[in-house]
């Protein structure tokens, strides 16, 4: 970092921390990931294009992106709600609920997939309730959505929770004194403050859901053109020892989610600035 | 003091909706796992847990987490400090690059290390010549796990640090505190919740990771099987009780960090209460 | 920055960071040194596919006893199990298997192609290097409510069939080829009609699990489907493990001879100096003792006397080999399961 930081802050440690961050990031993430593109580069453009625009691949992109998006939306809304309830209210079993929020990470994804498939299939505990209404969950895109919601659940809750915990309630009091209703206070004062954290959680849940494999294969049914997710197609390629085809699809996916994350981070930065300028 | 809480019915409605959501997506699956694990009684459960292959899988899982979590904590704190306390060009890009491991499918996270260190890979011939094993051995498992859990701590800390701003630290520095002092006395207490959540998430995921580890492990029974891999093996052997028992074991291991968190929470709350009761001077004297 | 912050200067920062990172990698890599070889202790790694776990557990134990009495050495046989294709990739990428025992020859061919063993590995051991065989049968619900007797019943409109995805499961490829072979024979070699038959069969498949055991779980635990297409040994195992009174096995009139092959990985045994041990291990699979273990786990033994003595007897099913009908694995893979192959065409057509 030849350049000094632009803000004339007096805090030390920028060189140390940014240096360490960059080195660690490069060694552990960037260099290994660049292998993906290196491997893909052994294809000609035409081969690459044919591989990634295959109808089946496109269909799976659609399935993956849509289900991941809806699952992340679901998590954004309910994640904030859960975080709010956990920080603000007291109710029996609160500690327990707080404790199990992280479990989707701890359970191996395969176990999660098996458990979800058994619950949401037509003879499962919840599946049969829906089956009575003629709705199928397991082995449909809804099943994928359920699995992805499960694995992404901790992200929003856990990013919003600490921010909410540190939140100074005097601001709310001030808003209330000035005559704002609770809903107004929440929408105008609290929510904007939470927005960066929510966006972070959303982005992470979305990105994670895009790549998820272990839990989805058990509940999705894996039907071509309907419930086939991108990671499954990558596995299919590997099964034919087609490493290059697999990395081609993987790098498209990586680039797509990279840009999506970039956009979300940009918005987050924007709202942060707005918030700070207030 | 002005009222800053919702009317009772709103409160209970929100709690109810949150609980229904958590119930449908989390509690019921968990109950399913636990009920399966104990379906044949506690005796069989214990027997399954005490099996030598399961124990060696537990050991490997703990070892992996013990290496990758601290590594990512150091990185996370460093990255959060740089990103939240300073402004520089390319910050968004850096943030996004840190997020990247989440966006990579677990299968691919494993595959990149195979492409790097495998015999057909870039560094493969060199490693083979020096007889260094990375994939299909413990180092590969640790690397894959560290990769997968890479963003957690940083991602938890950055919003918290950003929300806090840097006024307090700047005040400390201008009053003559050193960088480290400022960090330990001012920043760390401020970010402890975020840090704690980060560690918990990172740890949980490190122990539960399946896809990436499965690609680099080689599945040698009793040697390179982590607990999640062992669960799959048991399940495929139709040993459902044993499989779910191992899975609950994993859940319990992750819960250990949560108990720790509750302890800290309880302790700090107690301290705060004490502090509030004490006059200013005594507090300073005792500090 | 003042002298106090010498450690914050860029150069030292990089140095520290690099040392820390290398330290991380270094200390994780430190335990990789190989043990010095002791003559009384030998080790063998058998990389196999999923459903052979129980079989090899027993074989390994017997072989260890045999080897001990023969040479006085104690042999530890390590097992690795997983999907056949995945295991094959692990060996290609450096998993140091002394022997591989996989679900289909195609997966070992792939290893041979990368120079780990001669291309004609399959002729080095008797019986196409397959010491035991199996075949494809149907598992139906008790009492066979849909009256499924043969392959033709699987394409009926109201029958729901469970089979894994041939693109991700080696076992499922045998299922697919068995159906194809039957249709081909019935229609006197008409490829178009065979394709139509398989097309109709897969229209009846509501779930394509990624692996064979996943399919079994879908059929048994989730209660989905009227019939499960499975390996004979898997069907017996499912009945024994998951419910004797819940399922029946139906034998089709014609099926495929599934030959899961075994081979020595030459490059690895030469490096680890285990060739003699590995060779004996694979030859041991052909002995009466090992054949009896195979039969016990419902694999069809090659030794006629063991097969004849097995109770209850293996049902007589007319079997064809992959060589006869498809001209070997390489060809079958190319035509049917490669991207854009017949299997993909079937789903492509269903979509349109």
């Amino acid at each position: 970092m030849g350049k000094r930081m632009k803000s004339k802050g007096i805090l030390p440690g920028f060189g140390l921390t940014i240096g360490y961050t960059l080195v660690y990031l490069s060694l552990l993430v960037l260099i290994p990931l660049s292998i993906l593109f290196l491997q893909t580069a052994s294809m000609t453009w035409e081969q690459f294009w044919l591989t990634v625009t295959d109808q089946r691949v496109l269909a799976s992109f659609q399935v993956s992106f849509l289900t991941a998006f809806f699952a992340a939306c679901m998590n954004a809304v309910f994640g904030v709600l859960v975080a709010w309830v956990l920080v603000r209210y007291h109710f029996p079993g609160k500690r327990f609920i707080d404790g199990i929020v992280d479990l989707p990470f701890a359970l191996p994804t395969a176990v999660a997939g098996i458990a979800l498939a058994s619950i949401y299939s037509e003879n499962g505990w919840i599946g049969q309730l829906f089956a009575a209404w003629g709705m199928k969950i397991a082995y449909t895109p809804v099943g994928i959505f359920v699995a992805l919601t499960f694995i992404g659940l901790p992200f929003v809750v856990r990013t919003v929770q600490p921010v909410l915990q540190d939140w100074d309630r005097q601001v709310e009091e001030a808003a209330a004194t000035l005559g704002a209703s609770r809903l107004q206070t929440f929408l105008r004062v609290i929510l904007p403050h939470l927005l960066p954290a929510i966006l972070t959680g959303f982005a992470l849940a979305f990105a994670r859901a895009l790549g998820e494999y272990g839990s989805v294969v058990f509940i999705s049914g894996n039907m071509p053109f309907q419930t086939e997710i991108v990671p499954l197609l990558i596995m299919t390629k590997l099964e034919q020892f087609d490493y290059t085809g697999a990395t081609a699809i993987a790098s498209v996916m990586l680039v797509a989610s990279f840009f999506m994350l970039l956009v979300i981070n940009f918005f987050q930065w924007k709202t942060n600035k707005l918030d700070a300028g207030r | 003091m002005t009222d800053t809480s919702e009317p009772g019915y709103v409160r209970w409605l929100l709690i109810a909706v949150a609980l229904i959501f958590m119930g449908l997506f989390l509690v019921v699956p968990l109950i399913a796992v636990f009920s399966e694990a104990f379906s044949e009684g506690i005796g069989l459960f214990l027997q399954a847990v005490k099996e030598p292959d399961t124990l060696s899988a537990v050991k490997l899982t703990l070892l992996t987490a013990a290496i990758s979590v601290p590594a990512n904590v150091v990185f996370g704190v460093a990255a959060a400090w740089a990103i939240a306390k300073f402004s520089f060009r390319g910050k968004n890009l850096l943030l996004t690059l840190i997020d990247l491991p989440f966006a990579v499918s677990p299968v691919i996270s494993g595959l990149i290390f195979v492409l790097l260190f495998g015999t057909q890979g870039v560094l493969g011939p060199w490693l083979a010549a020096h007889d260094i094993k990375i994939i299909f051995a413990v180092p590969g498992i640790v690397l894959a796990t560290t990769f997968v859990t890479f963003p957690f701590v940083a991602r938890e800390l950055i919003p918290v640090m950003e929300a806090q701003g840097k006024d307090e630290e700047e005040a400390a520095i201008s009053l003559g505190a050193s960088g480290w002092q400022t960090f330990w006395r001012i920043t760390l207490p401020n970010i402890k919740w975020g840090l704690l959540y980060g560690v918990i998430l990172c740890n949980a995921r490190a122990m539960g990771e399946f896809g990436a580890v499965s690609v680099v492990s080689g599945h040698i029974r009793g040697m390179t099987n982590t607990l999640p891999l062992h669960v799959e093996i048991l399940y495929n052997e139709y040993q459902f009780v044993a499989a779910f028992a191992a899975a609950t074991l994993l859940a319990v291991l992750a819960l250990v960090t949560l108990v720790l968190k509750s302890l800290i929470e309880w302790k700090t709350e107690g301290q705060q209460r004490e502090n509030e009761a004490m006059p200013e001077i005594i507090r300073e004297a005792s500090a | 920055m003042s002298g106090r912050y010498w450690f914050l200067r860029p150069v030292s920062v990089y140095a520290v960071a690099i040392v820390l990172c290398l330290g991380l990698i270094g200390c994780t890599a430190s335990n990789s040194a190989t043990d010095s070889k002791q003559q009384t202790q030998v080790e063998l790694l058998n990389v196999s596919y999923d459903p052979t776990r129980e079989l090899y557990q027993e074989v390994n134990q017997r072989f260890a006893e045999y080897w001990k009495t023969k040479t006085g050495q104690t042999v530890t046989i390590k097992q690795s199990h997983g999907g056949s294709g995945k295991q094959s990739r692990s060996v290609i990428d450096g998993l140091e298997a002394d022997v591989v025992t996989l679900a289909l020859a195609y997966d070992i061919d792939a290893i041979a192609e990368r120079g780990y063993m001669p291309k004609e590995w399959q002729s080095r051991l008797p019986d196409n290097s397959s010491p035991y065989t199996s075949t494809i049968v149907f598992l139906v619900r008790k009492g066979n409510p849909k009256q499924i007797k043969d392959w033709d019943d699987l394409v009926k409109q109201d029958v729901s069939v469970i089979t894994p995805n041939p693109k991700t499961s080696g076992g499922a490829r045998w299922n697919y080829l068995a159906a194809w072979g039957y249709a081909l024979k019935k229609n006197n070699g008409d490829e178009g009609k065979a394709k139509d038959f398989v097309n109709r069969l897969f229209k009846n498949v509501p779930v394509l699990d990624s692996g064979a055991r996943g399919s079994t779980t879908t059929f048994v635990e989730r209660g989905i489907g009227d019939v499960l297409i499975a390996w004979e040994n898997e069907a017996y195992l499912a009945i024994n493990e998951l419910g004797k009174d819940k399922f029946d096995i139906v034998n089709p009139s014609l099926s495929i001879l599934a030959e899961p092959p075994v081979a020595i990985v030459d490059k690895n045994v030469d490096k680890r100096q285990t060739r003699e041990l590995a060779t004996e291990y694979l030859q041991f699979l052909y002995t009466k003792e090992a054949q009896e273990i195979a039969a016990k786990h419902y694999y069809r033994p090659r030794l006629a006397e063991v097969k004849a003595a097995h109770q209850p007897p293996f049902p007589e099913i007319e079997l064809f080999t992959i060589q006869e009908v498809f001209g070997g694995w390489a060809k079958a893979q190319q035509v049917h399961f490669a991207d854009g192959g017949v299997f993909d065409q079937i789903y492509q057509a269903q979509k349109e």
Side-chain angles (χ1 to χ4, degrees), chain A residues 23-30 32, chain B residues 72 113 143 146-147 150, chain C residues 24:
Chain A
V23 172
Y24 190 78
L25 181 75
S26 311
L27 279 182
L28 207 68
V29 177
L30 299 185
Chain B
N72 283 335
F113 290 106
L143 272 179
T146 314
F147 178 90
F150 182 84
Chain C
L24 170 71

Side-chain angles (χ1 to χ4, degrees), chain B:
Chain B
M1 191 167 133
T2 330
D3 186 32
T4 58
S5 63
E6 291 72 40
Y9 72 92
V10 177
R11 210 155 50 204
W12 286 108
L13 189 73
L14 290 179
I15 292 176
V17 174
L19 286 183
I20 291 172
F21 171 76
M22 292 289 282
L24 274 180
F25 283 93
L26 247 184
V27 181
V28 177
L30 269 185
I31 293 174
V33 172
F34 274 82
S35 74
E36 190 78 48
F38 291 100
S39 62
E40 315 265 315
I42 187 120
L44 247 160
F45 173 84
L46 288 176
Q47 203 183 323
V49 170
K50 277 194 290 198
E51 212 220 333
D53 282 344
T54 309
L55 287 180
S56 86
V58 170
K59 263 190 231 152
L60 181 61
T61 303
L62 290 179
L63 173 74
T64 310
I67 300 174
S68 55
V69 174
N72 283 335
V73 167
V74 173
F75 160 76
V77 173
W81 180 270
I83 289 170
K85 303 288 181 192
F86 301 91
S87 55
F88 53 92
R89 249 188 293 169
K91 194 191 254 190
N92 278 324
L93 187 69
L94 183 61
L95 260 179
T96 312
L97 287 177
I98 290 176
D99 288 344
L100 217 49
F102 280 144
V104 181
S105 177
V107 181
I108 293 298
S109 333
L111 185 69
I112 53 176
F113 290 106
V114 169
L115 290 174
L116 206 56
F117 300 118
T119 7
Q120 315 284 317
V122 183
L123 300 175
W126 185 85
L127 290 172
H130 292 76
D131 206 20
I132 300 172
K133 273 189 220 149
I134 291 192
I135 51 167
F136 310 122
V138 178
I141 296 172
V142 172
L143 272 179
T145 307
T146 314
F147 178 90
V148 169
T149 54
F150 182 84
F152 277 106
V153 181
R155 260 350 212 129
E156 277 299 317
L157 286 183
I158 291 166
V160 180
M161 275 205 195
E162 268 174 353
Q164 250 147 17
K166 51 190 176 186
D167 301 346
E168 290 181 46
E169 281 90 352
E170 279 176 349
I173 295 279
S174 50
L175 289 174
S178 78
W180 286 113
Q181 278 174 329
T182 311
F183 175 74
W184 286 110
R185 301 266 181 84
I186 310 284
T187 313
L188 204 58
N190 274 339
I191 60 167
K192 62 171 186 281
W193 292 121
L195 188 61
L196 215 53
Y197 284 129
V199 170
I200 290 167
L201 290 186
C202 185
N203 183 53
R205 188 96 166 81
M207 294 201 291
E209 175 53 22
F210 173 78
V213 172
S214 151
V215 178
V216 295
S217 109
H219 300 273
I220 307 171
R221 214 175 165 147
M223 280 183 69
T224 60
N225 270 335
T226 61
L227 208 41
L229 300 183
H230 193 61
V231 170
E232 194 215 15
I233 286 181
L234 291 172
Y235 190 80
N236 274 344
E237 282 177 4
Y238 302 128
Q239 297 190 41
F240 295 141
V241 173
F244 283 102
T248 54
L249 203 61
L250 208 56
V252 170
L253 279 180
L255 281 173
V256 170
T257 50
L258 286 170
V259 174
L260 226 65
K261 181 202 137 198
S262 297
L263 271 179
I264 298 172
E265 207 169 24
W266 176 71
K267 242 184 126 178
T268 49
E269 267 172 22
Q271 255 173 15
Q272 261 169 15
R273 233 170 280 136
E274 259 172 49
N275 283 353
E276 271 157 30
M278 271 189 286
E280 185 85 357
I281 300 174
I282 302 177
R283 200 182 346 164
E284 252 165 38
S286 69

